[in-house]
């Protein structure tokens, strides 16, 4: 088989598309996932209070009562993870939640949905 210019370009383009698709669909274990497991509320309220808020949120939202469900809910809105294109940070998502009115009242605290889900996920981790 001879490799002419046209075939070379087709194979090169296919290789690039396959590489980008593979990295975009791969599960990420970098900073955004770690940020989802470590809510910023910890610094302000402490771990016991955040656990308490997370337990209340899980009790009020039975469909988000497992770590898998919470991680899925937190990852929604991330879209595909494409290298070199920055996705919204947790801070941006919290700010967007407040701006769009996506808030919940949990034990007297007004939290963004993202913050409440983070607290719920944190409440599932061993103390």
């Amino acid at each position: 088989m001879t490799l002419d210019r046209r075939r070379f370009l087709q194979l090169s383009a296919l290789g690039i598309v396959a590489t980008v698709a593979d990295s975009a669909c791969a599960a990420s274990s970098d900073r955004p996932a770690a940020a989802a497991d470590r809510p910023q509320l910890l610094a302000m309220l402490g771990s016991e209070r955040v656990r308490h808020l997370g337990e209340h949120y899980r009790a009020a939202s039975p469909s988000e009562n497992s770590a898998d469900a919470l991680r899925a809910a937190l990852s929604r809105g991330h879209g595909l993870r494409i290298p070199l294109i920055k996705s919204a940070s947790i801070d941006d998502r919290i700010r967007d939640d407040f701006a769009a009115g996506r808030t919940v009242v949990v034990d007297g605290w007004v939290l963004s949905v993202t913050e409440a889900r983070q607290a719920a996920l944190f409440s599932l981790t061993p103390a």
Side-chain angles (χ1 to χ4, degrees), residues 9-60:
L9 291 175
Q10 288 172 337
L11 291 173
S12 297
L14 180 63
I16 291 169
V17 169
T19 301
V20 170
D22 180 53
S23 63
C25 295
S28 175
S29 62
D30 57 359
R31 179 80 177 111
D37 290 345
R38 298 291 300 174
Q40 291 180 343
L41 292 174
L42 284 173
M44 293 181 276
L45 303 176
S47 64
E48 282 190 46
R49 184 69 178 145
V50 172
R51 271 186 212 292
H52 182 72
L53 290 171
E55 290 166 359
H56 276 273
Y57 178 77
R58 286 188 300 113

Side-chain angles (χ1 to χ4, degrees), residues 4-119:
D4 62 354
R5 183 177 176 186
R6 173 184 241 171
R7 185 71 176 149
F8 173 76
L9 291 175
Q10 288 172 337
L11 291 173
S12 297
L14 180 63
I16 291 169
V17 169
T19 301
V20 170
D22 180 53
S23 63
C25 295
S28 175
S29 62
D30 57 359
R31 179 80 177 111
D37 290 345
R38 298 291 300 174
Q40 291 180 343
L41 292 174
L42 284 173
M44 293 181 276
L45 303 176
S47 64
E48 282 190 46
R49 184 69 178 145
V50 172
R51 271 186 212 292
H52 182 72
L53 290 171
E55 290 166 359
H56 276 273
Y57 178 77
R58 286 188 300 113
S61 305
S63 65
E64 295 181 6
N65 201 17
S66 70
D68 289 338
L70 287 163
R71 282 194 181 95
L74 283 166
S75 68
R76 272 186 240 126
H78 270 297
L80 293 176
R81 188 184 64 81
I82 300 174
L84 306 176
I85 297 178
K86 185 179 176 186
S87 62
S89 69
I90 293 288
D91 291 340
D92 293 338
R93 294 178 61 202
I94 291 169
R95 192 173 17 260
D96 292 346
D97 283 350
F98 279 112
R102 288 185 301 267
T103 59
V104 291
V105 177
V106 181
D107 198 31
W109 290 82
V110 178
L111 303 174
S112 79
V113 173
T114 300
E115 287 175 316
R117 287 174 175 159
Q118 282 183 298

